[in-house]
Structures are given as C-alpha cells and as structure tokens.
Amino acid sequence: VTLLEQLRDQAAYCRGAGSALTADLLDGAAADVEAGGPAADLLAPHADDPRGTVVGLRLAGALHRLVLERRAPALAVHYPSVGGTPGDVWAAAREVVAEQPDVLAPVLQRPVQTNEVGRAAALYGGLLRLATRTDLPVRLLEVGASAGLNLRCDRFAYSLRAGVEIGDATSPVVLGRPWTGDLPRGWPTTTVVERRGCDLAPLDPTSAADRLTLSSYVWADQVDRFRRLAAAFTVAERVPAVVERATASDFLARELAVPRPGVLTVVWHSVVRQYLSAAERRAVDDRLAEAGTRATPGAPLARLSLEPQQVSSGQAFLVELTTWPTGRHEVLATARGHGPPVHWNPLDT
Ligand SMILES: C[S@@+](CC[C@H](N)C(=O)[O-])C[C@H]1O[C@@H](n2cnc3c(N)ncnc32)[C@H](O)[C@@H]1O
C-alpha cells in the first residue's frame, strides 16, 4: 500500500468515524504529497512504514501537538479543541509543514498513543455485572493501561438519564447515556480496593508532557472526548493508580502467581490484543488459564475485555467476560471503538 493510499484510506476512515477535520487534513496531505509539496518531503522517510503504524494519524497528532503548544496560531484557528472553527485546515497546516519540518519530523517517529476514557463505560458496566454475582471487593489489574485513566472507572459519573447518575456523581468525568440494552438490575455497587496496571510505554497522567502527548492524539474536532480526557487527568490527581513498565505476560505472571482470597481479581484490557505478538498473546492467555486453575470461590478471577472482533456483519467491539473457578465465558455487550454506547446483552443468570 503506498503512502498516498494510506493517507486517503485513513482520511475515509476518520470521516466515517466522525472526524471531518482529521479527514480534511489527511486528504489535503495526500494531495500535497501527490503534487510534490512540503508534505511530500516530510513524509518521504515514512513511505514504507507498515500500515498499522498509521502514519496519517501520526501526522495529525504532530500538528495537533503544535496547536496545543501554541506554536501554530494560524492553524489553531481551525481547531475546535482550542476553541477554533473548522475551515480550510489543510492550507493552514501546509504552512506549518513548510515552516516547521524540523519540529514535526521527530514527533512523526513516535507511535500513536491514546488512553480512551469512554472505554470505562464497558469496564464499569462489566464490574457491575460481576457485582450482581459477588459481594467481594475488586482488585483491578489492567494490561496495556497506557496512562491508567480507566483504572479510576468507578470514580467517573455515568449519567443514565437526567438526574440519574451512578459511579461517582461528583466526578468531573461524566459519560452521558453510556449504556443501552439489558442494564444491570438494582444498581449494585462495587468497591475497588487495588488499582494496578502495566504498559510497554506507560504515561503519567499527572505530568504536563504526557498529558500533552495523550491530548494530541485525540481527533481535534471531537471536543467531548478531548474534554473527557482533561477531566480524567484531574481524577488521576486525586485517585492514585500505579502503571508500571512491563509486558502484559510478565505483569500477569507476577500478579497472578498466588490466588488472593477476599477479593475478586479482575484483569481488564481494551484495544490491546492487536498490538501483542502471537507469542505474547498466547502467554497472556496461558497466565490467565493457569491462574484460573488456582482460583476458588473465595479467591475468584475474571478477565474482562473490550476488543475488536470479526463478526458476521463485519468488525465489532465486544465486551467479553471469563470467570474462574468455573471458566465460564460470556459476550456481555457490543460497543463502539471509543466505548459508548455499550449495548448490554440479556442477562442469563
Ligand atoms: C491502543 S492502546 C490502548 C490503551 C488503553 N487500553 C485504552 O484503551 O485507552 C494499546 C496500549 O497497549 C500497550 N502495549 C502494547 N503491547 C504491550 C505489551 N506486550 N504489554 C503491555 N502493554 C502493551 C501500548 O503501549 C499501548 O499503550
């Protein structure tokens, strides 16, 4: 796949996913590459980058970073994330590419890294489903946690309808109408007693530099996601959670080595599987299966995930749950890539 095709495919994807701004940027960049403009020079070293490294989104992130750093005022005019209004965004971006290639080039080397707060809607709903079956407090372990924002999912507000909020109703993070379908009955509560995660490249949600990185990869016209992320940074200041630098399999080998009585250990991951090598994926599955054999009713284990899956109608994001000691597997819900709305399947218990 050529660079041009990658940019155009990514533009079409972004348009379909509700970011006209990112789509316009990438269509503009593609036309500029074709015409031999400044984007052609900037992107030339990335002509053979694998498709999965999403060069278009790296370019969009690098430009957004300059906007957020107040280093591209004429481009910022078009960026809703800083109060701008979309217009001829590529014309302004082209100037930035022409004038600041040395600033953009090193940022283009970085992988896209996000931490999507909307996915907490799947995680928290899953924890509530579990809470209908056990009163045990939750020990939450997240692999591929990025900045660990969703380890604070119980400290976000879930606004079911006007005046009905569950989770932490006082939270600055509010997920509006996050759920449809067969919702948990009787609104069980859940208590998280431990929050711990790992990532190959953990980010610190209390540091200005890492906040900038996470913010820059949010599509700049998706203002709700952008605000939600900023609100989650303030929750992270109040609610500590450790995210250490480790592979998922090493982290689980250590954390699941001995059963932990008196708590429900929940291993959670969202949009991580596709980034793991086949060997790492198998190792993660094996660590969980082994720990499952050691689980007991007093020291139970659960794996909860939101991951894209091939289904008959194409790709869907499924919320899946496996619980031990029984080893029972369930597809709890279907969601969008960024979380809401999460549609819960009928309860069968
Ligand atoms: C698309 S991000 C998703 C982050 C977060 N789970 C979310 O939903 O916002 C994938 C994350 O997986 C991490 N990752 C990739 N391979 C990993 C591995 N073998 N072990 C731990 N983390 C890994 C990446 O560094 C990245 O932060």
Side-chain angles (χ1 to χ4, degrees):
V1 188
T2 66
L3 178 61
L4 271 182
E5 283 168 330
Q6 285 206 42
L7 291 170
R8 291 204 167 113
D9 288 355
Q10 189 69 58
Y13 178 83
C14 292
R15 208 172 292 287
S19 181
L21 183 95
T22 312
D24 288 349
L25 267 180
L26 300 189
D27 276 336
D32 197 66
V33 167
E34 207 165 26
D41 293 336
L42 180 70
L43 296 176
H46 301 285
D48 298 321
D49 288 2
R51 197 183 177 84
T53 66
V54 285
V55 65
L57 297 185
R58 285 185 279 141
L59 175 64
L63 290 165
H64 196 193
R65 172 181 283 264
L66 286 194
V67 165
L68 295 173
E69 290 179 315
R70 308 296 188 263
R71 293 164 82 177
L75 179 60
V77 166
H78 301 296
Y79 274 60
S81 58
V82 291
T85 331
D88 190 355
V89 68
W90 176 250
R94 189 176 186 278
E95 293 298 309
V96 176
V97 173
E99 285 164 13
Q100 305 193 54
D102 299 343
V103 180
L104 290 166
V107 188
L108 274 173
Q109 311 275 355
R110 302 178 65 134
V112 170
Q113 193 173 6
T114 53
N115 195 183
E116 182 49 55
V117 176
R119 293 177 189 146
L123 169 58
Y124 193 61
L127 292 184
L128 294 187
R129 278 276 164 105
L130 284 163
T132 62
R133 301 177 193 169
T134 174
D135 292 331
L136 290 174
V138 170
R139 170 187 178 224
L140 186 55
L141 303 176
E142 179 170 12
V143 295
S146 190
L149 295 173
N150 291 335
L151 285 167
R152 288 89 168 176
C153 68
D154 56 322
R155 306 298 284 270
F156 303 161
Y158 301 83
S159 179
L160 305 184
R161 54 181 188 277
V164 181
E165 286 180 342
I166 63 164
D168 179 352
T170 66
S171 180
V173 177
V174 181
L175 292 164
R177 300 187 188 261
W179 298 322
T180 59
D182 197 3
L183 300 170
R185 289 176 201 131
W187 302 120
T189 52
T190 187
T191 307
V192 179
V193 289
E194 191 178 331
R195 312 162 196 275
R196 192 175 283 284
C198 77
D199 200 282
L200 280 186
L203 293 175
D204 174 0
T206 66
S207 97
D210 288 355
R211 285 181 176 190
L212 175 65
T213 295
L214 289 165
S215 304
S216 71
Y217 293 115
V218 176
W219 298 340
D221 51 349
Q222 299 198 324
V223 178
D224 284 350
R225 285 178 60 212
F226 192 78
R227 291 208 187 107
R228 206 155 67 187
L229 180 65
F233 292 152
T234 65
V235 174
E237 282 168 11
R238 289 183 220 149
V239 184
V242 183
V243 180
E244 64 185 85
R245 189 178 300 274
T247 65
S249 56
D250 286 351
F251 174 77
L252 291 179
R254 191 192 68 213
E255 290 296 321
L256 302 180
V258 286
R260 192 75 78 78
V263 293
L264 166 64
T265 297
V266 177
V267 174
W268 154 257
H269 52 92
S270 61
V271 194
V272 173
R273 259 186 94 79
Q274 71 209 68
Y275 298 97
L276 307 181
S277 66
E280 172 74 351
R281 226 179 275 178
R282 230 180 357 259
V284 166
D285 292 347
D286 289 350
R287 293 301 84 77
L288 278 151
E290 288 157 16
T293 64
R294 295 187 289 266
T296 63
L301 173 67
R303 176 186 201 166
L304 183 59
S305 63
L306 172 70
E307 296 288 348
Q309 308 282 355
Q310 280 313 121
V311 293
S312 53
S313 54
Q315 197 192 49
F317 285 78
L318 300 185
V319 184
E320 293 178 87
L321 175 69
T322 310
T323 39
W324 293 273
T326 59
R328 175 182 175 193
H329 172 263
E330 298 156 90
V331 177
L332 294 185
T334 312
R336 301 262 176 88
H338 294 142
V342 181
H343 184 78
W344 298 92
N345 297 331
L347 277 174
D348 53 14
T349 52

